[in-house]
Amino acid sequence: MSETAAVPVAVCQFAPTASRADNRERIAELTADAAARGAKLVVFPEYASYFVDPMDESLSTNAEELDGEFVATLTALAAEYAVVIVAGLAERGEGHRVRNTVVAVRGDGILAVYRKQHLYDAFGQTESDWIEPGAVGEAATFELGGLRFGLMTCYDLRFPEVARTLVDADADVLVVPAEWVRGPLKEHHWTTLLAARAIENTVYVVAADHPTPIGVGHSQIVDPEGVVLAGVGTAPGIAVAVVERSSLARVRKTNPSLRVRRYAVAPR
Protein backbone atom coordinates (compact mmCIF):
# COMPACT_ATOMS: atom_id res chain seq x y z
CA MET A 1 0.00 0.00 0.00
CA SER A 2 1.13 3.52 -0.78
CA GLU A 3 3.21 5.32 1.83
CA THR A 4 1.42 8.52 0.79
CA ALA A 5 -2.07 7.12 1.37
CA ALA A 6 -4.44 9.59 3.05
CA VAL A 7 -8.21 9.44 3.52
CA PRO A 8 -10.48 12.26 4.80
CA VAL A 9 -12.96 10.71 7.25
CA ALA A 10 -16.08 12.10 8.93
CA VAL A 11 -17.89 11.03 12.09
CA CYS A 12 -21.58 11.95 12.06
CA GLN A 13 -23.12 12.20 15.52
CA PHE A 14 -26.91 11.98 15.43
CA ALA A 15 -29.75 10.47 17.44
CA PRO A 16 -31.54 7.67 15.56
CA THR A 17 -35.22 7.30 16.43
CA ALA A 18 -38.06 4.80 16.04
CA SER A 19 -38.81 6.25 12.58
CA ARG A 20 -36.78 4.34 10.01
CA ALA A 21 -37.73 6.83 7.31
CA ASP A 22 -36.60 9.81 9.41
CA ASN A 23 -33.30 8.07 10.15
CA ARG A 24 -32.64 7.48 6.45
CA GLU A 25 -33.47 11.11 5.69
CA ARG A 26 -31.10 12.37 8.39
CA ILE A 27 -28.33 10.08 7.14
CA ALA A 28 -28.81 11.48 3.63
CA GLU A 29 -28.48 15.06 4.93
CA LEU A 30 -25.38 14.27 6.96
CA THR A 31 -23.75 12.35 4.12
CA ALA A 32 -24.23 15.32 1.80
CA ASP A 33 -22.72 17.65 4.41
CA ALA A 34 -19.75 15.35 5.11
CA ALA A 35 -19.03 14.88 1.40
CA ALA A 36 -19.16 18.64 0.88
CA ARG A 37 -16.45 18.92 3.54
CA GLY A 38 -14.26 16.52 1.58
CA ALA A 39 -14.88 13.25 3.45
CA LYS A 40 -14.35 9.99 1.58
CA LEU A 41 -15.40 7.81 4.53
CA VAL A 42 -18.56 8.75 6.43
CA VAL A 43 -19.23 6.97 9.75
CA PHE A 44 -22.59 6.82 11.54
CA PRO A 45 -23.46 5.41 14.99
CA GLU A 46 -24.66 2.02 16.13
CA TYR A 47 -28.41 1.38 15.62
CA ALA A 48 -28.55 4.08 12.94
CA SER A 49 -31.42 2.32 11.18
CA TYR A 50 -33.73 2.10 14.19
CA PHE A 51 -33.42 2.81 17.91
CA VAL A 52 -35.65 2.83 20.98
CA ASP A 53 -34.73 3.31 24.63
CA PRO A 54 -35.35 1.08 26.44
CA MET A 55 -35.11 -1.71 23.90
CA ASP A 56 -38.27 -3.71 23.28
CA GLU A 57 -39.91 -6.13 20.84
CA SER A 58 -40.18 -3.38 18.22
CA LEU A 59 -36.52 -4.02 17.42
CA SER A 60 -37.48 -7.33 15.84
CA THR A 61 -40.44 -5.79 14.01
CA ASN A 62 -38.20 -3.11 12.52
CA ALA A 63 -35.13 -5.24 11.80
CA GLU A 64 -34.07 -5.50 8.16
CA GLU A 65 -32.16 -7.87 5.92
CA LEU A 66 -28.85 -6.75 4.44
CA ASP A 67 -30.63 -6.37 1.10
CA GLY A 68 -33.33 -4.24 2.71
CA GLU A 69 -34.25 -0.57 2.47
CA PHE A 70 -31.62 0.74 4.90
CA VAL A 71 -28.57 -0.76 3.19
CA ALA A 72 -30.02 0.09 -0.23
CA THR A 73 -30.26 3.73 0.89
CA LEU A 74 -26.67 3.72 2.14
CA THR A 75 -25.48 2.23 -1.14
CA ALA A 76 -27.34 4.81 -3.22
CA LEU A 77 -25.92 7.64 -1.10
CA ALA A 78 -22.41 6.20 -1.36
CA ALA A 79 -22.78 6.15 -5.16
CA GLU A 80 -24.23 9.66 -5.32
CA TYR A 81 -21.46 11.24 -3.23
CA ALA A 82 -18.56 8.90 -4.16
CA VAL A 83 -17.92 7.90 -0.54
CA VAL A 84 -17.84 4.80 1.62
CA ILE A 85 -20.44 4.76 4.39
CA VAL A 86 -20.23 2.80 7.66
CA ALA A 87 -23.37 2.54 9.81
CA GLY A 88 -25.02 0.31 12.37
CA LEU A 89 -28.38 -1.37 11.81
CA ALA A 90 -30.78 -3.78 13.45
CA GLU A 91 -30.49 -6.83 11.19
CA ARG A 92 -33.12 -9.57 11.20
CA GLY A 93 -31.98 -12.54 13.28
CA GLU A 94 -33.42 -15.75 14.68
CA GLY A 95 -36.66 -15.65 16.66
CA HIS A 96 -37.34 -12.43 18.57
CA ARG A 97 -33.69 -11.41 18.79
CA VAL A 98 -31.95 -9.33 16.12
CA ARG A 99 -28.34 -8.82 15.13
CA ASN A 100 -26.48 -5.64 16.04
CA THR A 101 -24.74 -5.24 12.71
CA VAL A 102 -22.36 -2.74 11.13
CA VAL A 103 -22.01 -2.49 7.37
CA ALA A 104 -19.49 -0.71 5.19
CA VAL A 105 -20.91 0.08 1.75
CA ARG A 106 -19.63 1.64 -1.45
CA GLY A 107 -21.71 2.67 -4.43
CA ASP A 108 -21.36 -0.79 -5.94
CA GLY A 109 -22.38 -2.71 -2.82
CA ILE A 110 -21.34 -4.01 0.60
CA LEU A 111 -17.62 -4.03 1.42
CA ALA A 112 -17.73 -5.55 4.92
CA VAL A 113 -20.21 -6.75 7.54
CA TYR A 114 -19.58 -7.00 11.28
CA ARG A 115 -21.95 -8.34 13.94
CA LYS A 116 -21.31 -7.18 17.49
CA GLN A 117 -19.50 -9.86 19.51
CA HIS A 118 -19.73 -8.46 23.04
CA LEU A 119 -23.27 -7.57 24.07
CA TYR A 120 -23.91 -4.80 26.57
CA ASP A 121 -24.96 -6.80 29.64
CA ALA A 122 -23.43 -4.31 32.06
CA PHE A 123 -24.21 -1.15 34.02
CA GLY A 124 -27.77 -2.40 34.54
CA GLN A 125 -28.40 -3.07 30.83
CA THR A 126 -29.18 -6.45 29.20
CA GLU A 127 -28.69 -6.06 25.45
CA SER A 128 -28.67 -9.85 25.10
CA ASP A 129 -32.42 -9.93 25.85
CA TRP A 130 -32.98 -8.44 22.39
CA ILE A 131 -29.73 -9.06 20.46
CA GLU A 132 -27.96 -12.25 19.43
CA PRO A 133 -24.13 -12.11 19.56
CA GLY A 134 -22.05 -12.23 16.42
CA ALA A 135 -19.87 -15.26 15.84
CA VAL A 136 -16.18 -15.04 16.64
CA GLY A 137 -14.43 -15.33 13.33
CA GLU A 138 -12.66 -13.52 10.56
CA ALA A 139 -12.00 -9.82 11.10
CA ALA A 140 -14.29 -7.49 9.14
CA THR A 141 -12.09 -5.13 7.14
CA PHE A 142 -12.15 -3.14 3.92
CA GLU A 143 -9.73 -1.00 1.93
CA LEU A 144 -10.12 2.62 0.93
CA GLY A 145 -7.54 5.01 -0.48
CA GLY A 146 -4.60 2.72 0.28
CA LEU A 147 -5.53 2.14 3.93
CA ARG A 148 -7.28 -0.79 5.62
CA PHE A 149 -10.21 -0.13 7.96
CA GLY A 150 -11.53 -2.59 10.57
CA LEU A 151 -15.02 -2.70 12.11
CA MET A 152 -16.04 -3.12 15.75
CA THR A 153 -18.97 -1.85 17.83
CA CYS A 154 -19.47 0.09 21.08
CA TYR A 155 -19.04 -2.35 24.02
CA ASP A 156 -16.38 -4.22 22.01
CA LEU A 157 -14.19 -1.23 22.84
CA ARG A 158 -13.81 -2.56 26.40
CA PHE A 159 -12.18 -5.75 25.07
CA PRO A 160 -8.70 -4.99 23.68
CA GLU A 161 -8.59 -8.37 21.95
CA VAL A 162 -11.15 -7.23 19.38
CA ALA A 163 -9.00 -4.30 18.32
CA ARG A 164 -5.86 -6.44 18.32
CA THR A 165 -7.57 -9.02 16.11
CA LEU A 166 -8.31 -6.27 13.59
CA VAL A 167 -4.73 -5.06 13.74
CA ASP A 168 -3.55 -8.63 13.14
CA ALA A 169 -5.67 -8.46 9.98
CA ASP A 170 -3.60 -5.39 8.97
CA ALA A 171 -6.15 -2.73 9.93
CA ASP A 172 -4.68 0.77 9.98
CA VAL A 173 -7.87 2.39 11.27
CA LEU A 174 -10.45 1.07 13.74
CA VAL A 175 -14.00 2.21 12.97
CA VAL A 176 -16.32 2.17 16.00
CA PRO A 177 -20.04 2.94 15.60
CA ALA A 178 -21.50 3.20 19.12
CA GLU A 179 -24.40 4.04 21.37
CA TRP A 180 -22.31 4.63 24.50
CA VAL A 181 -24.97 4.94 27.19
CA ARG A 182 -24.61 7.84 29.62
CA GLY A 183 -23.87 7.25 33.29
CA PRO A 184 -21.35 8.08 36.02
CA LEU A 185 -17.86 8.37 34.51
CA LYS A 186 -19.07 6.96 31.18
CA GLU A 187 -17.71 9.93 29.19
CA HIS A 188 -14.35 9.30 30.84
CA HIS A 189 -14.48 5.59 30.00
CA TRP A 190 -15.37 6.33 26.37
CA THR A 191 -12.63 8.84 25.67
CA THR A 192 -10.02 6.88 27.63
CA LEU A 193 -10.74 3.62 25.83
CA LEU A 194 -10.71 5.27 22.40
CA ALA A 195 -7.28 6.69 23.15
CA ALA A 196 -6.04 3.43 24.67
CA ARG A 197 -7.05 1.35 21.63
CA ALA A 198 -5.26 3.86 19.40
CA ILE A 199 -2.08 4.04 21.49
CA GLU A 200 -1.63 0.33 22.22
CA ASN A 201 -2.18 -0.64 18.58
CA THR A 202 -0.56 2.41 16.95
CA VAL A 203 -3.64 2.91 14.76
CA TYR A 204 -6.25 5.57 14.13
CA VAL A 205 -9.63 5.19 15.84
CA VAL A 206 -12.73 6.70 14.21
CA ALA A 207 -15.75 6.59 16.54
CA ALA A 208 -19.33 7.81 16.04
CA ASP A 209 -21.71 7.94 19.03
CA HIS A 210 -25.25 9.10 19.77
CA PRO A 211 -25.53 12.58 21.29
CA THR A 212 -26.92 13.28 24.74
CA PRO A 213 -29.21 12.68 26.55
CA ILE A 214 -28.99 8.94 25.80
CA GLY A 215 -25.42 8.69 24.50
CA VAL A 216 -22.38 10.54 25.79
CA GLY A 217 -21.56 12.16 22.46
CA HIS A 218 -17.88 13.01 21.94
CA SER A 219 -17.60 11.30 18.57
CA GLN A 220 -14.00 11.70 17.51
CA ILE A 221 -11.09 10.82 15.28
CA VAL A 222 -8.02 9.79 17.29
CA ASP A 223 -4.51 9.48 15.90
CA PRO A 224 -2.01 6.65 16.62
CA GLU A 225 -0.59 8.56 19.59
CA GLY A 226 -4.01 9.03 21.19
CA VAL A 227 -4.43 12.67 20.15
CA VAL A 228 -7.94 13.77 19.15
CA LEU A 229 -7.63 15.25 15.65
CA ALA A 230 -11.28 16.27 15.42
CA GLY A 231 -14.38 15.70 17.49
CA VAL A 232 -17.95 16.63 18.32
CA GLY A 233 -19.24 17.67 21.73
CA THR A 234 -22.50 16.38 23.19
CA ALA A 235 -24.87 17.76 20.52
CA PRO A 236 -25.46 16.38 17.01
CA GLY A 237 -22.74 17.32 14.54
CA ILE A 238 -19.94 16.29 12.20
CA ALA A 239 -16.18 16.17 12.63
CA VAL A 240 -13.72 15.64 9.77
CA ALA A 241 -10.01 14.78 9.77
CA VAL A 242 -7.49 13.02 7.54
CA VAL A 243 -5.98 9.63 8.40
CA GLU A 244 -2.52 9.17 6.86
CA ARG A 245 -0.14 6.27 6.38
CA SER A 246 2.82 8.59 6.93
CA SER A 247 1.67 9.20 10.51
CA LEU A 248 1.28 5.47 11.11
CA ALA A 249 4.81 4.86 9.82
CA ARG A 250 6.28 7.65 11.94
CA VAL A 251 4.61 6.50 15.15
CA ARG A 252 5.47 2.83 14.59
CA LYS A 253 9.11 3.67 13.94
CA THR A 254 9.30 5.43 17.31
CA ASN A 255 7.07 2.96 19.15
CA PRO A 256 7.38 -0.53 17.57
CA SER A 257 5.07 -2.17 20.12
CA LEU A 258 3.26 -4.29 17.52
CA ARG A 259 6.51 -5.72 16.26
CA VAL A 260 8.03 -6.55 19.65
CA ARG A 261 4.94 -7.95 21.40
CA ARG A 262 5.15 -11.54 22.61
CA TYR A 263 1.50 -12.59 22.78
CA ALA A 264 -1.15 -13.33 20.18
CA VAL A 265 -4.95 -13.33 20.54
CA ALA A 266 -6.93 -16.57 20.55
CA PRO A 267 -10.76 -16.74 20.76
CA ARG A 268 -12.43 -18.50 23.70
Side-chain angles (χ1 to χ4, degrees), residues 19-143:
S19 171
R20 290 154 59 192
D22 287 352
N23 294 336
R24 293 193 302 270
E25 181 177 343
R26 186 66 182 127
I27 286 170
E29 294 169 349
L30 290 165
T31 299
D33 192 348
R37 300 188 196 191
K40 292 301 180 184
L41 174 68
V42 185
V43 181
F44 291 94
E46 182 182 24
Y47 292 116
S49 70
Y50 180 86
F51 184 70
V52 288
D53 180 54
M55 291 182 179
D56 58 28
E57 61 278 357
S58 68
L59 274 172
S60 181
T61 304
N62 287 277
E64 301 186 30
E65 304 286 354
L66 290 181
D67 60 358
E69 203 168 17
F70 183 73
V71 174
T73 297
L74 298 185
T75 305
L77 289 169
E80 180 178 357
Y81 294 104
V83 297
V84 169
I85 298 175
V86 172
L89 74 147
E91 182 194 3
R92 190 159 292 129
E94 300 294 332
H96 78 281
R97 295 201 299 174
V98 307
R99 299 176 181 127
N100 184 335
T101 300
V102 173
V103 293
V105 305
R106 194 170 53 196
D108 57 355
I110 294 174
L111 296 176
V113 176
Y114 174 74
R115 296 178 177 96
K116 190 176 185 181
Q117 295 179 27
H118 296 94
L119 301 184
Y120 187 56
D121 289 358
F123 295 91
Q125 306 287 322
T126 52
E127 188 178 33
S128 63
D129 284 348
W130 307 106
I131 307 295
E132 61 181 64
V136 176
E138 186 176 350
T141 67
F142 64 93
E143 292 185 19

Side-chain angles (χ1 to χ4, degrees), residues 4-267:
T4 60
V7 178
V9 302
V11 287
C12 296
Q13 183 166 289
F14 88 108
T17 70
S19 171
R20 290 154 59 192
D22 287 352
N23 294 336
R24 293 193 302 270
E25 181 177 343
R26 186 66 182 127
I27 286 170
E29 294 169 349
L30 290 165
T31 299
D33 192 348
R37 300 188 196 191
K40 292 301 180 184
L41 174 68
V42 185
V43 181
F44 291 94
E46 182 182 24
Y47 292 116
S49 70
Y50 180 86
F51 184 70
V52 288
D53 180 54
M55 291 182 179
D56 58 28
E57 61 278 357
S58 68
L59 274 172
S60 181
T61 304
N62 287 277
E64 301 186 30
E65 304 286 354
L66 290 181
D67 60 358
E69 203 168 17
F70 183 73
V71 174
T73 297
L74 298 185
T75 305
L77 289 169
E80 180 178 357
Y81 294 104
V83 297
V84 169
I85 298 175
V86 172
L89 74 147
E91 182 194 3
R92 190 159 292 129
E94 300 294 332
H96 78 281
R97 295 201 299 174
V98 307
R99 299 176 181 127
N100 184 335
T101 300
V102 173
V103 293
V105 305
R106 194 170 53 196
D108 57 355
I110 294 174
L111 296 176
V113 176
Y114 174 74
R115 296 178 177 96
K116 190 176 185 181
Q117 295 179 27
H118 296 94
L119 301 184
Y120 187 56
D121 289 358
F123 295 91
Q125 306 287 322
T126 52
E127 188 178 33
S128 63
D129 284 348
W130 307 106
I131 307 295
E132 61 181 64
V136 176
E138 186 176 350
T141 67
F142 64 93
E143 292 185 19
L144 174 64
L147 293 168
R148 185 176 293 274
F149 297 77
L151 303 178
M152 57 192 295
T153 313
C154 200
Y155 192 49
D156 287 326
L157 194 64
R158 292 184 180 271
F159 301 86
E161 298 86 359
V162 178
R164 186 54 57 89
T165 299
L166 291 169
V167 172
D168 283 345
D170 297 324
D172 304 301
V173 184
L174 307 181
V175 183
V176 191
E179 201 295 284
W180 199 266
V181 179
R182 291 190 78 193
L185 297 177
K186 292 294 291 297
E187 292 90 343
H188 173 63
H189 291 187
W190 168 247
T191 55
T192 299
L193 290 167
L194 291 176
R197 298 294 85 86
I199 294 166
E200 71 196 5
N201 292 295
T202 56
V203 293
Y204 288 93
V205 176
V206 177
D209 192 25
H210 292 214
T212 58
I214 297 175
V216 301
H218 298 290
S219 300
Q220 52 192 240
I221 300 156
V222 184
D223 82 359
E225 293 184 289
V227 176
V228 178
L229 299 179
V232 184
T234 58
I238 297 176
V240 180
V242 177
V243 298
E244 301 176 285
R245 179 164 299 284
S246 59
S247 291
L248 290 166
R250 173 181 54 79
V251 172
R252 290 174 178 178
K253 182 177 180 180
T254 303
N255 175 23
S257 58
L258 290 179
R259 178 170 54 81
V260 302
R261 66 192 172 103
R262 302 180 66 186
Y263 291 89
V265 175

